[in-house]
């Protein structure tokens, strides 16, 4: 039996924790095209904060002679030593919300150059049903010159990572697995079952596994869109949405979703992948896209609500100073990808508002690079006509917002609903 040697392609929020866990039992090559990311990890630091420095240093090794451990590289030639390749690269959308498979294609080309007979390529990136076998495998065949399901095999095991969550870590979340043949599926399932303490679910096909992943986040997106719409309705009625949800939640089968901004690289993106594939089959998805449209507009809605509250309190709008607390897509996490807080900022600026952004979790250089926005490294003593609590970081719960407002009429708006109602002028 040939010893397992794993290569993980892409060392971000998904790939690094997976590589670390596998490296405790197998020799693992962690590969990333970004040299600065590789250098950072080799020094024992993880900017995503998913893996602690001590944890990372405990698995790093210069070689895999011990039979396990993690080596990290940006040299694609180093991947030739592996016989199982796991792809964990991003699958974003473009400005028109169309799926972008370029990272997957590039990763497949890289693997194809070193692919050997008997190897298995497993994809974890979220895609639409059919992408693995219809978009990725042909690239592997073309570059390697090998034949699918004769010379090499494929699998799909969708990532289930929740950035910033230290309870539901990679090994504690049940994993879906699949393979291109029954034997490949068994090998893929055995591989993951060796590290996933929560167990695995072997799907009947790769397409089933792909579809299962993409509907997980589409379902959440639709449910959040529903409560966001409720928030808009109840706001007009003068009813506190969160009190309504708390009351309704006393029924055993009421689903506990809350209104808010829907960003990030999963819930805010995955529904577009499913919608794209549905349209290719001649079906226009009504509910999925309606939920996306509503959630994509929540940042602008929040900004308009704040402006209306300012006007109602006789506060100037043009030239007003407004503080936005939080720029990451979720609480207690440094990930700024696809954050919808930027929609609040852009909309406020349309009203002539001067916006300060403060987020102790976000890297100011990354915010500027990604969105062209400046963010404060610390609160600078300014006072504001309005404060928007956009992200529920733990640090914000300890702030005395009254010390930051310019007068008694200043607006405090709570997007996340973490402050007592009597301390805010409005909330979702």
């Amino acid at each position: 039996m040939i010893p397992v040697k794993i290569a993980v392609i892409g060392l971000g929020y998904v790939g690094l924790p997976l590589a670390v866990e596998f490296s405790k039992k197998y020799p693992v090559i962690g590969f990333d095209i970004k040299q600065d990311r590789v250098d950072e990890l080799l020094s024992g630091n993880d900017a995503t904060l998913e893996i602690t420095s001590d944890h990372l240093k405990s698995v790093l090794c210069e070689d895999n002679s011990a039979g396990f451990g993690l080596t990290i590289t940006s040299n694609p030639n180093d991947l030739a030593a592996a016989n199982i390749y796991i792809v964990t690269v991003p699958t974003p959308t473009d400005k028109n919300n169309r799926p972008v498979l370029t990272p997957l294609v590039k990763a497949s080309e890289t693997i194809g150059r070193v692919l050997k007979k008997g190897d298995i390529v497993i994809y974890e990136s979220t895609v639409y049903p059919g992408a693995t076998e219809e978009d990725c495998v042909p690239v592997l065949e073309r570059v390697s010159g090998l034949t699918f399901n004769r010379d090499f095999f494929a699998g799909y095991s969708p990532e289930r990572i929740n950035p910033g969550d230290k309870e539901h870590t990679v090994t504690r979340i049940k994993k879906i697995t699949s393979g291109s043949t029954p034997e490949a599926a068994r090998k893929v399932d055995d591989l993951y079952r060796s590290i996933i303490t929560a167990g695995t679910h072997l799907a009947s096909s790769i397409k089933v596994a792909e579809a299962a992943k993409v509907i997980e986040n589409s379902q959440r997106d639709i449910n959040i869109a529903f409560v966001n719409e409720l928030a808009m309705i109840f706001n007009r009625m003068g009813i506190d949405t969160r009190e309504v949800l708390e009351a309704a939640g006393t029924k055993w089968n009421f689903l506990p979703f809350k209104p808010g901004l829907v960003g990030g690289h999963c819930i805010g993106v995955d529904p577009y992948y499913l919608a794209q594939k549905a349209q290719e089959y001649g079906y226009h998805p009504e509910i999925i896209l309606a939920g996306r449209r509503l959630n994509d507009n929540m940042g602008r809605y929040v900004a308009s609500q704040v402006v209306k509250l300012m006007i109602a309190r006789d506060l100037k709008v043009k030239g007003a100073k407004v503080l936005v607390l939080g720029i990451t897509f979720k609480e207690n996490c440094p990930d700024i990808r696809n954050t919808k807080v930027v929609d609040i900022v852009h909309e406020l600026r349309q009203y002539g508002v001067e916006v300060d952004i403060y987020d102790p979790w976000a890297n100011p250089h990354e915010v500027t690079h990604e969105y062209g926005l400046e963010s404060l490294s610390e609160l600078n003593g300014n006072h504001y006509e309005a404060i928007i609590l956009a992200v529920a970081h733990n640090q914000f719960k300890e702030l005395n917002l009254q010390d930051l407002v310019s007068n008694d009429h200043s607006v405090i708006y709570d997007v996340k609903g973490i402050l007592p109602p009597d301390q805010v002028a409005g909330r979702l």
Side-chain angles (χ1 to χ4, degrees):
M1 184 176 178
I2 301 175
V4 169
K5 188 164 188 178
I6 300 168
V8 176
I9 318 300
L11 298 177
Y13 283 87
V14 176
L16 181 64
L18 189 70
V20 166
E21 290 303 324
F22 271 126
S23 72
K24 297 173 183 178
K25 290 194 174 184
Y26 307 97
V28 176
I29 304 166
F31 173 83
D32 201 285
I33 61 173
K34 297 179 180 178
Q35 187 60 50
D36 56 349
R37 175 63 169 165
V38 169
D39 293 340
E40 166 195 308
L41 295 176
L42 287 174
S43 71
N45 296 310
D46 171 29
T48 70
L49 305 181
E50 292 300 301
I51 304 296
T52 65
S53 182
D54 289 343
H55 192 181
L56 180 56
K57 289 177 180 178
S58 71
V59 298
L60 283 174
C61 60
E62 293 183 2
D63 59 58
N64 299 121
S65 58
F68 60 92
L70 175 63
T71 58
I72 295 176
T73 182
S74 59
N75 185 351
N77 295 326
D78 293 339
L79 298 173
N83 48 32
I84 292 180
Y85 299 90
I86 302 177
V87 180
T88 58
V89 298
T91 46
T93 55
D94 64 17
K95 63 180 181 179
N96 297 313
N97 296 319
R98 293 174 300 196
V100 176
L101 296 183
T102 304
L104 275 182
V105 171
K106 294 295 185 183
S108 300
E109 290 174 343
T110 298
I111 294 169
R113 296 186 187 102
V114 296
L115 199 62
K116 306 172 297 300
K117 288 188 176 182
D119 289 355
I120 299 176
V121 184
I122 305 167
Y123 292 87
E124 288 216 0
S125 307
T126 302
V127 291
Y128 46 69
T132 298
E133 293 158 298
E134 297 167 12
D135 297 292
C136 299
V137 165
V139 175
L140 295 172
E141 286 188 309
R142 173 175 56 81
V143 177
S144 70
L146 302 176
T147 301
F148 180 49
N149 280 342
R150 187 189 71 187
D151 300 325
F152 73 93
F153 306 89
Y156 184 77
S157 182
E159 57 94 354
R160 278 180 167 171
I161 295 291
N162 190 25
D165 190 337
K166 303 308 178 186
E167 179 181 354
H168 302 96
T169 53
V170 61
T171 62
R172 298 175 182 173
I173 304 173
K174 195 164 189 174
K175 202 83 160 68
I176 298 172
T177 63
S178 64
S180 56
T181 68
E183 183 180 3
R186 180 182 56 78
K187 289 182 178 179
V188 171
D189 191 66
D190 287 346
L191 180 71
Y192 281 98
R193 196 151 24 89
S194 69
I195 66 163
I196 305 296
T197 57
T200 61
H201 174 87
L202 179 56
S204 61
S205 69
I206 287 176
K207 284 186 178 180
V208 167
E210 291 168 327
K213 171 56 181 176
V214 81
I215 71 165
E216 289 176 15
N217 289 323
S218 296
Q219 182 188 66
R220 286 180 56 79
D221 193 41
I222 291 166
N223 278 299
I224 297 171
F226 171 61
V227 294
N228 275 338
E229 189 164 60
L230 292 180
M232 293 178 181
I233 295 170
F234 293 143
N235 177 61
R236 293 188 174 213
M237 296 179 175
I239 301 173
D240 189 305
T241 304
R242 293 175 189 270
E243 291 184 5
V244 174
L245 294 174
E246 182 181 0
T250 58
K251 187 179 181 184
W252 79 93
N253 59 353
F254 185 83
L255 300 179
F257 287 91
K258 296 179 180 179
L261 304 176
V262 186
H265 48 94
C266 290
I267 300 178
V269 173
D270 296 357
Y272 287 122
Y273 273 74
L274 181 56
Q276 170 75 19
K277 202 61 178 178
Q279 290 171 6
E280 289 179 11
Y281 277 79
Y283 181 81
H284 181 77
E286 301 285 351
I287 295 175
I288 294 171
L289 291 179
R292 273 287 76 230
R293 284 193 298 272
L294 196 147
N295 284 340
D296 274 346
N297 281 313
M298 289 308 293
R300 287 182 283 275
Y301 174 79
V302 167
S304 69
Q305 291 300 109
V306 171
V307 169
K308 289 177 181 178
L309 287 168
M310 292 173 68
I311 293 171
R313 294 187 172 202
D314 293 324
L315 294 168
K316 68 174 183 177
V317 174
K318 187 174 182 179
K321 290 185 177 297
V322 174
L323 174 64
V324 174
L325 292 173
I327 191 69
T328 62
F329 90 90
K330 65 176 294 188
E331 64 274 6
N332 306 320
C333 168
D335 196 345
I336 63 170
R337 288 178 294 173
N338 195 35
T339 174
K340 296 304 179 183
V341 179
V342 297
D343 294 341
I344 299 176
V345 176
H346 291 320
E347 188 72 8
L348 287 173
R349 287 183 170 178
Q350 291 291 316
Y351 288 97
V353 171
E354 296 179 13
V355 182
D356 280 351
I357 303 167
Y358 172 62
D359 192 321
W361 283 84
N363 184 320
H365 298 294
E366 290 184 5
V367 174
T368 300
H369 178 268
E370 189 71 22
Y371 300 108
L373 299 173
E374 292 186 11
S375 60
L376 304 174
S377 57
E378 59 182 3
L379 293 172
N380 55 15
N382 280 346
H383 291 83
Y384 301 92
E385 279 77 38
I387 298 175
I388 302 174
L389 181 58
V391 185
H393 293 319
N394 288 339
Q395 292 95 323
F396 294 159
K397 299 175 184 178
E398 300 169 0
L399 286 177
N400 185 349
L401 299 185
Q402 294 301 325
D403 291 342
L404 301 174
V405 297
S406 59
N407 58 65
D408 293 339
H409 298 291
S410 294
V411 170
I412 296 176
Y413 192 92
D414 185 6
V415 173
K416 300 297 292 186
I418 63 172
L419 299 175
D422 59 354
Q423 294 183 15
V424 301
R427 63 178 183 172
L428 276 182

